[in-house]
Amino acid sequence: MNKNSLVTLLRTDGANRDFQYLVVLMDHDLRERYGSVQSVYNELNQVADLDTIVVAYNEQQAVGCGCFRKFSDNTAEIKRMYVEPSYRGQGIAARILNELELWAREKGFNHAILETGRKQPEAIHLYERSGYATTINYGPYDGLDNSICMRKKL
């Protein structure tokens, strides 16, 4: 059976301990990919105070997450997308992203932006498949060579 069929999504906030745990795993993964340059990005990824977080569960085990925050009056910024390696390739990240986009539309946003890294081809592929197009690096990512910024009309 496809693991994805057992997965449920929970809308939650930054106090969720499962989200906090997944962020630790994500940060470890990013440090392995990018080394010391990741410290520059850590400051840009603070999301503990958000109330727009989605955690994916396989039965009672947290296996993935994502969130968004207001970037401008009509644009949400997708952040902290992560799926545990043993659950990748099952469509879980796409389900999390779809839920985040739906929630952002419910909150009145009509565009989504995000930043990902050049050493994350699986993320780039997910976003392209989901209708995101590369755009100029925005805000704090302007001038950061490892960053790829993307945009989508919701």
Side-chain angles (χ1 to χ4, degrees), residues 67-101:
C67 60
F68 70 90
R69 65 181 174 198
K70 178 180 179 177
F71 182 78
S72 69
D73 287 344
N74 67 349
T75 303
E77 182 182 25
I78 305 294
K79 303 291 292 178
R80 312 292 11 219
M81 289 285 299
Y82 179 76
V83 172
E84 284 208 47
S86 63
Y87 284 86
R88 293 180 185 165
Q90 300 292 323
I92 295 170
R95 286 187 56 199
I96 293 168
L97 184 59
N98 288 339
E99 185 70 13
L100 291 169
E101 292 171 350

Side-chain angles (χ1 to χ4, degrees), residues 3-154:
K3 291 179 183 177
N4 189 13
S5 65
L6 303 173
V7 171
T8 58
L9 301 179
L10 172 69
R11 290 183 180 187
T12 186
D13 60 34
N16 181 290
R17 289 184 183 266
D18 293 324
F19 173 69
Q20 294 169 5
Y21 170 74
L22 289 165
V23 166
V24 169
L25 295 178
M26 177 188 330
D27 287 342
H28 177 74
D29 178 74
L30 292 171
R31 274 191 304 279
E32 286 185 351
R33 292 177 195 239
Y34 295 102
S36 62
V37 74
Q38 185 57 35
S39 61
V40 172
Y41 292 89
N42 289 344
E43 294 302 314
L44 305 175
N45 289 322
Q46 302 301 314
V47 295
D49 294 336
L50 289 182
D51 62 357
T52 49
I53 291 168
V54 171
V55 177
Y57 291 90
N58 177 35
E59 297 181 5
Q60 301 299 316
Q61 179 184 351
V63 298
C65 63
C67 60
F68 70 90
R69 65 181 174 198
K70 178 180 179 177
F71 182 78
S72 69
D73 287 344
N74 67 349
T75 303
E77 182 182 25
I78 305 294
K79 303 291 292 178
R80 312 292 11 219
M81 289 285 299
Y82 179 76
V83 172
E84 284 208 47
S86 63
Y87 284 86
R88 293 180 185 165
Q90 300 292 323
I92 295 170
R95 286 187 56 199
I96 293 168
L97 184 59
N98 288 339
E99 185 70 13
L100 291 169
E101 292 171 350
L102 174 64
W103 199 358
R105 282 192 304 272
E106 290 170 8
K107 289 190 160 283
F109 296 107
N110 54 28
H111 288 92
I113 57 172
L114 59 84
E115 180 272 344
T116 191
R118 295 192 184 282
K119 294 181 180 179
Q120 294 166 265
E122 69 283 6
I124 295 165
H125 184 64
L126 165 71
Y127 299 134
E128 289 174 342
R129 275 193 341 256
S130 299
Y132 285 79
T134 304
T135 187
I136 60 168
N137 286 7
Y138 60 86
Y141 305 106
D142 185 28
L144 295 179
D145 292 338
N146 283 316
S147 292
I148 296 174
C149 292
M150 304 179 99
R151 181 177 186 87
K152 177 182 178 178
K153 182 170 176 39
L154 298 177

